[in-house]
Amino acid sequence: MQLFGDIEAKIDTKGRAFLPSVFRKALQASGEENLFLRKDLFQPCLILYPESEWIKQLDTVRSKLSRWNRQHQLLYRQFVSGVEALTLDGNGRILIPKRYLQMASIDQSLQFLGLGDYIEIWKPGEKEKPFLEADNFSEAIESIMGNTFGSLSAGNILNESGQER
């Protein structure tokens, strides 16, 4: 399942918003019916997980924590207590509880940002803050991904006889 897009939507007085059709179609094609909502741990946005991705997140967190460690139990309890199960209504809307809208300072409209396996929900205009400046982004991506292929890079690819191409 690939959830990509950057789409603004309105919220009605009850806190309902239409999930953009590009996301609904991807979820339906993958057989996903249930969604899970939580406040992001680091940014002032909400995270909307398809059920299969939420289960992966839980499994990852649980695998790193011991049920027999008091601090780990407190962390796990806090991690899962801030989650709300959501379903699409017959019109393709999700009901976002008011407390979540308040956590992300969202009032009349919101911005859906698809990030592959989950969707972030932002207050319009706020999502620009967590991005790197263009120069910083290119330097960071080069630093991280530039060494992906080990010693092979565009500058030192060898042909079959061992000579550089």
Side-chain angles (χ1 to χ4, degrees):
M1 170 178 26
Q2 297 296 310
L3 301 166
F4 292 108
D6 185 353
I7 303 155
E8 190 167 335
K10 298 287 183 195
I11 301 172
D12 69 14
T13 57
K14 294 181 182 178
R16 296 176 298 196
F18 284 101
L19 188 65
S21 64
V22 66
F23 298 139
R24 286 195 316 267
K25 289 175 185 174
L27 292 168
Q28 289 169 347
S30 298
E32 296 279 356
E33 294 181 15
N34 300 312
L35 302 167
F36 290 84
L37 181 72
R38 70 166 289 115
K39 165 76 175 64
D40 185 69
L41 298 174
F42 306 106
Q43 300 293 331
C45 69
L46 305 175
I47 306 294
L48 189 61
Y49 294 101
E51 183 174 20
S52 62
E53 185 57 32
W54 175 245
I55 290 169
K56 287 179 194 175
Q57 295 294 316
L58 280 179
D59 289 346
T60 299
V61 170
R62 182 48 92 183
S63 73
K64 304 222 181 255
L65 302 174
S66 168
R67 292 178 187 264
W68 308 110
N69 179 299
R70 183 183 318 259
Q71 183 69 19
H72 290 192
Q73 284 301 93
L74 291 170
L75 287 168
Y76 186 76
R77 184 177 300 120
Q78 188 165 345
F79 182 76
V80 299
S81 70
V83 175
E84 185 82 25
L86 303 179
T87 55
L88 291 172
D89 69 12
N91 294 318
R93 298 174 300 190
I94 54 173
L95 174 62
I96 303 173
K98 292 198 185 300
R99 67 187 176 107
Y100 286 91
L101 295 172
Q102 291 170 350
M103 287 180 206
S105 301
I106 296 170
D107 47 27
Q108 297 176 347
S109 62
L110 50 76
Q111 193 86 22
F112 289 100
L113 183 61
L115 294 174
D117 51 3
Y118 65 94
I119 301 165
E120 290 183 345
I121 303 173
W122 290 86
K123 176 180 181 173
E126 290 292 311
K127 74 172 183 58
E128 283 73 28
K129 292 179 183 177
F131 288 93
L132 296 171
E133 295 292 328
D135 288 343
N136 293 338
F137 173 75
S138 63
E139 289 173 13
I141 201 79
E142 180 181 17
S143 171
I144 293 168
M145 300 303 291
N147 295 323
T148 301
F149 300 106
S151 63
L152 292 180
S153 68
N156 67 353
I157 296 176
L158 305 178
N159 64 21
E160 293 172 356
S161 63
Q163 298 173 335
E164 284 193 31
R165 292 189 220 185

